[in-house]
Amino acid sequence: MEPGDLLLIQGPPGTGKTSLIAHLARAALARHLFDYDGRAPQDRRPVLVLTNTHRAADEVVLKLLDRFPEVAPFVIRVGGRRADMDERVARQTLAERAGAREVLGEADLAGNGAAVLFRLIRRAQTYHDHAGIFVGTLGSADAAELRGLSFELVIVDEAGQATEPAMLQALRHLPPGYAGRLVLVGDHRQLPPVVSDELVPPPVPEAFRQLGLQAGDSLRTSAFERLARLYPHALITLTEQYRMNAPICSLVSETFYEGQLVPGTQEVAERALAGWLSRFGLSVPASSVWSGPPVVLITTEADPDARDSGARFIAGRSPDEARDNPREATIVAALLGELIGSLPPDWRAEVAREIGVISPYRRQNNRIRQELLRHDEALAAVRVDTVDRFQGGEREVIVVSLVNSNDEAAIGRLHADWRRMNVAISRARRALVIVGDRSTFIHDPGRPEEDEARRYYRALFDGIERLAQQGQARVLDSRTLP
C-alpha cells in the first residue's frame, strides 16, 4: 500500500480477522523501526487500531501479546482499566505501565507529592514516546493518548458494524492530506451498525449515487458496505476459515458467500462432536440427534403446538423481543438434556460451557433458560443469547431457535435482516441444530421489504436438503420428538 491508499478486507466468520490485524500491525511497526533515521516527527507513529467495541480492542491487544510478545513494550491500550478487562490488556494501558496506582498509593502527597507526580508524568511520557501501536475504540479517537498524533497506518476493525459517522473518527489521525494508509476490516454480510431509532431513509439524490449510496441506505449502512460498492477493486475477501467443520462451512458458504468460503485445514474440515467428546473419554449418546450428521434441521411446520406468540400482539406495534415459542423451547431443552444427561455428572458443566443457544428474541431466550434448568442444573452453563450479543463468539455446539411460526408467514423485523441468520449458524464449530418452521420463512406473503431475506432463507433450507442428500445433514419432523 502507498500513502493515501484504501484497503477493504472482508472477513467472513472464522477467517481470523483479529490475527490478520495483529500481523499487519506488527509488520508496520517493524518497518517503522528498521527505517527509522531519527528525523521522523515525534507526533508521527506507525500504527493505530480502532475498533467498534471494547471487546474487539481487547482481543487485538491479546492477539498481539500472544503472537508477537516482543512488541509488548510498544503497545498502548488507549483508555483506562475497566472492571471487565483482561489483566494482560489492563497492563498495556498507559497508567498501568507507568505504575500510577502503586506510585500514588505509596506517595506522601502532602510532602513530596509534587516531585512524585513529576516523576510519574515523566515515566508515562517516556512510555508514550516509545509506543508504536495504539489500540482503542472509535469512541476514544479523541482520547488524551492520541491527541496530536498521526499514524502511517490506521486500521479500523468491525468496520461493518460501525456507523459511518463513528468510522470517520479514524480519519482525524491520518497524516495531513490523508497521506497515510487506511485499512477497514469487517464483513457487510454480518450484523450492520446498531441504530436505536431507525427512521425511514429519505430518497438518495442522484448526485450522491456516485458516492456509493443507493435507495434504502441509512445509518444502518456502514462506510465499509458503501465503499465496497464504490471501490470493488479495493476489496479483498478472506476465504479460508478455521472454525466450522466442512458441512457447516458449506452451508454458510453456499448461502451467504457464493461458495467461496472453505475450511482452512483438513483438521478443521473433519471436526466432529464425537472427536471433541472423546478427548475427555466421553461419547455421543447413541440413537440420538447427536449421533448423526453435524447439521440437523428440526422442522415444526406440521406441529400444531409449535406456533409462536405473535397472535397476541398487534403487528408493527409490539416489540419483537416479546415473541416466544414454548414448543421450540421445550424441544431445545430436551435435545440438550439428552446430550448432557448421557455424560458423567462431573463433566456435564464442562461440556455445557461449550454449547450455545441463539434466538433473536429475548423473551424466547428467557423461556429456554427456564426449560434448560428444569432438565439439568448443569445446563445453566449453556450460553443462551440473542444473535446480536453472540457476534464474535463461537461454541462447539450451536442450537438456533427461529421462533416465528404463523399462518401469515410473518418473520418479524429481526429476521427480516438476513444477516442475523449468517451470524447465528456460523458460531458452530462441530454441530449445528436449527429448530423452526421452515414454511414461515420461505413462503411469499407479498411483503416486498422481506423479499431479499426470504431468498436467503430459501437458499439456507435448500442447502440443508442438499447436505441431507449427501449424508451430511438430517431433516426431522418435530412431531417425532418428545
Side-chain angles (χ1 to χ4, degrees), residues 71-126:
V71 308
F74 303 96
V75 176
I76 292 290
R77 172 62 168 96
V78 177
R81 172 188 285 268
R82 303 188 325 278
D84 62 342
M85 184 178 276
D86 185 282
E87 183 60 30
R88 290 191 297 158
V89 177
R91 288 199 293 267
Q92 296 300 133
T93 61
L94 192 57
E96 293 294 320
R97 292 191 62 186
R101 285 193 303 167
E102 294 79 3
V103 170
L104 295 178
E106 299 172 0
D108 178 11
L109 297 181
N112 63 341
V116 169
L117 288 174
F118 180 75
R119 287 196 297 271
L120 177 61
I121 292 171
R122 287 290 299 272
R123 184 185 304 169
Q125 187 65 52
T126 300

Side-chain angles (χ1 to χ4, degrees), residues 53-225:
T53 61
H54 282 293
R55 175 192 56 78
D58 293 348
E59 287 179 0
V60 170
V61 173
L62 288 173
K63 191 67 70 174
L64 282 165
L65 299 179
D66 289 340
R67 292 289 182 89
F68 310 111
E70 71 275 9
V71 308
F74 303 96
V75 176
I76 292 290
R77 172 62 168 96
V78 177
R81 172 188 285 268
R82 303 188 325 278
D84 62 342
M85 184 178 276
D86 185 282
E87 183 60 30
R88 290 191 297 158
V89 177
R91 288 199 293 267
Q92 296 300 133
T93 61
L94 192 57
E96 293 294 320
R97 292 191 62 186
R101 285 193 303 167
E102 294 79 3
V103 170
L104 295 178
E106 299 172 0
D108 178 11
L109 297 181
N112 63 341
V116 169
L117 288 174
F118 180 75
R119 287 196 297 271
L120 177 61
I121 292 171
R122 287 290 299 272
R123 184 185 304 169
Q125 187 65 52
T126 300
Y127 283 121
H128 187 271
D129 289 346
H130 288 85
I133 301 175
F134 290 74
V135 182
T137 64
L138 289 164
S140 66
D142 64 344
E145 298 97 318
L146 300 177
R147 286 176 195 159
L149 297 183
S150 63
F151 294 84
E152 299 166 6
L153 173 64
V154 175
I155 302 173
V156 180
D157 189 18
E158 299 182 315
Q161 291 180 264
T163 63
E164 183 146 354
M167 192 286 296
L168 292 175
Q169 297 302 308
L171 302 186
R172 66 166 64 186
H173 291 293
L174 289 171
Y178 303 115
R181 300 163 179 85
L182 177 63
V183 177
L184 304 185
V185 182
D187 184 6
H188 50 297
R189 298 191 178 186
Q190 296 188 63
L191 291 181
V194 176
V195 179
S196 56
D197 295 317
E198 179 71 5
L199 302 176
V200 177
V204 177
E206 193 62 35
F208 287 3
R209 293 183 182 273
Q210 63 181 343
L211 301 177
L213 294 172
Q214 63 183 28
D217 281 351
S218 67
L219 278 177
R220 285 175 60 81
T221 305
S222 66
F224 185 94
E225 181 175 357

Side-chain angles (χ1 to χ4, degrees), residues 413-432:
R413 176 181 58 85
L414 297 178
H415 281 304
D417 189 339
W418 53 267
R419 291 172 287 196
R420 282 191 170 84
M421 184 60 72
N422 181 19
V423 173
I425 67 175
S426 62
R427 303 305 96 191
R429 296 191 194 108
R430 300 172 188 269
L432 170 66

